[in-house]
Each structure stands twice: as C-alpha cells, then as structure tokens.
C-alpha cells in the first residue's frame, strides 16, 4: 500500500448505528486530518492530529469522535448521525516541521462516501 | 482573513489544447503556500502543484504550471495539452505559515475535456 488509504470506501448507516472510518498513511508523516466535503460546499476541516495530539477541533458535533492511536492511523467514530452528515469524508496527512512557521503539503486518501438514512 | 475565490464553476476545453483555471486569494500573512488539487469523480483529492509565497519562479509539474502573480494575489493553474483524463474538479487552496494546520479551499472548477 502506498500513500493514504481509507476504509470503507462507501458506508450506509442508520441514525442509530455506530460505525468507524479508518485512515492509514504510509508516507511517514506526523500529522493527520479529517475533512468533510458536502455537496456544493467547500472542503471543511474537522480535526487535526499532530504528533498524535489533537490540535484542532473545528466546532464539530460530539457525534463525531476522532481517535489517533499512532502517527500512521486515524479513526473517525460515528454515532447517532443525522441525514445532513451524509458527505464525503476525506483523510489527509502531512509532514510538519517541529519548529517555526512552515507550509506543508497535505496528501489525501480516496475518501469514504457516507450516507445516513 | 483567509479567502480563496474560484470564479469559474465550469470550463470546457478541447482535447490537446491548453486551459487556465483561475484562482484569487486574500491573506495578510507574508508567508503562505498555494496548492492545486484535482478531484476525479472517484473522490480522491490528488495534489498537483505547490507555490510558495517567496518563490521567485512559477511552479511547474509536467503539464501543470502555476501562473503566480503576487501583486494581484492570483494563482492560476495552466494545464497544457489537455487530455480526456483531465476532466475533473480542480480546487485551489491556501495555507498560511502562521495559520496553524488550516488549509482553506476554494469552491472548485469543474473541467470538461472534449474529444
């Protein structure tokens, strides 16, 4: 496997279900991200993990729960979702410098298309 | 505040011709990076090209080049010799050096390549 992988690629779930999205990066990066892409809306950053520490949570509802057990793996746990949560969920990774302002490229996975019924 | 504007919702280009996708941005940070990504119908966001705010020359990657006009705050993507496989959504994005991990994306331009 190379780059950033995501599973599953497609997911249909009911509002009372609990499911998890998985992301794995094979690039040796130290930061990982969850983005949400809804129809007709720009890409929205949800969570950021840098060196396994969550550094950003952009006002995401608590029904989305991220987990980063190590620098290569990132999960998004889903529970009691709403139909408006249906979207493409993209994972990304980057190699961030430990000190000083830098601008690093983020590399994305193929995404999980989520449909909440 | 960060802002990315892509004014072309859709573009058509004839196969083998060149096409320019527009992007303007707004930032008060002197150090920033500009990115272009391609998103085919499969959904994956594919990194194409990067331009740093202090780079003296326009970035190029194969058939992709970035027309960087700093004073105008524009970062247009030029695709030369278009191919049918270039049909996709294209997103311009920006990240400020002092903005943490946040990358701001534009609304995108859908490119259609005609045979």
């Amino acid at each position: 496997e190379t780059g950033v992988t995501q599973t599953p690629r497609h997911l249909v779930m009911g509002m009372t279900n609990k499911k998890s999205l998985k992301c794995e990066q094979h690039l040796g990066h130290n930061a990982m991200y969850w983005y949400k892409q809804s129809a007709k809306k720009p890409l929205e950053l949800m969570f950021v993990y840098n060196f396994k520490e969550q550094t950003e949570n952009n006002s995401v509802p608590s029904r989305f729960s991220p987990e980063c057990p190590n620098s290569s793996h990132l999960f998004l746990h889903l529970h009691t979702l709403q139909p408006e949560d249906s979207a493409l969920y993209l994972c990304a990774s980057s190699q961030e410098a430990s000190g000083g302002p830098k601008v690093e490229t983020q590399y994305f996975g193929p995404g999980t298309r989520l449909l909440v019924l | 505040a960060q802002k990315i504007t892509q004014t072309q919702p859709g573009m058509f280009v004839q196969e083998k011709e060149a096409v320019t996708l527009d992007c303007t941005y707004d930032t008060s940070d002197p150090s920033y990076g500009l990115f272009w990504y391609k998103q085919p119908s499969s959904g994956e966001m594919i990194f194409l090209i990067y331009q740093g705010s202090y780079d003296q020359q326009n970035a190029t990657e194969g058939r992709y080049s970035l027309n960087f006009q700093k004073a105008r705050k524009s970062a247009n993507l030029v695709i030369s010799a278009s191919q049918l496989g270039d049909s996709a959504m294209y997103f311009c994005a920006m990240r400020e050096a002092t903005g943490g991990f946040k990358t701001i994306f534009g609304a995108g331009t859908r490119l259609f390549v005609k045979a």
Side-chain angles (χ1 to χ4, degrees):
Chain A
E1 290 282 10
T2 59
V4 182
T5 58
Q6 290 185 242
T7 54
R9 294 294 309 277
H10 297 86
L11 179 62
V12 180
M13 59 187 289
M15 288 190 285
T16 59
N17 293 157
K18 288 185 180 181
K19 296 287 184 183
S20 296
L21 310 184
K22 179 183 176 182
C23 175
E24 184 174 359
Q25 59 95 1
H26 310 269
L27 300 169
H29 289 167
N30 56 17
M32 296 187 76
Y33 311 75
W34 279 117
Y35 283 87
K36 177 183 178 183
Q37 187 178 31
S38 305
K40 303 186 187 302
K41 290 178 71 175
L43 214 60
E44 302 171 64
L45 179 64
M46 300 175 71
F47 300 104
V48 181
Y49 277 82
N50 186 33
F51 296 100
K52 298 187 295 180
E53 299 292 326
Q54 184 176 326
T55 57
E56 288 193 38
N57 174 347
N58 290 306
S59 303
V60 180
S62 59
R63 56 186 184 271
F64 295 92
S65 174
E67 179 190 0
C68 187
N70 54 59
S71 59
S72 299
H73 294 85
L74 184 65
F75 295 88
L76 188 62
H77 303 299
L78 316 172
H79 64 98
T80 60
L81 294 192
Q82 304 298 311
E84 60 264 29
D85 296 323
S86 299
L88 178 68
Y89 289 84
L90 289 160
C91 174
S93 71
S94 65
Q95 180 61 28
E96 299 296 320
S98 57
K102 291 272 287 183
V103 181
E104 305 297 343
T105 302
Q106 294 175 12
Y107 295 89
F108 287 79
T112 296
R113 290 193 187 276
L114 173 66
L115 177 62
V116 182
L117 300 176
Chain B
Q2 289 183 341
K3 187 176 179 182
I4 293 281
T5 303
Q6 294 180 254
T7 57
Q8 306 154 312
M11 289 280 288
F12 285 88
V13 65
Q14 195 67 39
E15 193 179 10
K16 299 180 184 178
E17 292 184 352
V19 63
T20 298
L21 306 183
D22 295 341
C23 173
T24 57
Y25 61 92
D26 187 26
T27 179
S28 56
D29 194 325
S31 179
Y32 53 90
L34 296 157
F35 307 83
W36 277 93
Y37 289 87
K38 171 185 178 182
Q39 188 176 41
S41 57
S42 60
E44 182 175 3
M45 196 74 78
I46 302 167
F47 166 69
L48 296 178
I49 196 166
Y50 164 80
Q51 179 85 42
S53 59
Y54 293 117
D55 292 345
Q56 295 297 309
Q57 294 188 329
N58 288 342
T60 60
E61 288 287 348
R63 293 186 300 110
Y64 304 107
S65 61
L66 202 151
N67 184 1
F68 182 44
Q69 298 189 39
K70 195 170 183 178
R72 294 186 177 184
K73 292 189 174 178
S74 74
N76 299 338
L77 177 70
V78 180
I79 305 174
S80 62
S82 296
Q83 301 172 357
L84 295 179
D86 294 335
S87 294
M89 281 290 287
Y90 288 81
F91 292 94
C92 180
M94 177 177 68
R95 184 174 172 186
E96 295 173 332
T98 56
F101 298 92
K102 194 162 191 171
T103 299
I104 300 295
F105 287 78
T109 295
R110 184 168 294 280
L111 179 66
F112 300 91
V113 181
K114 299 182 291 184

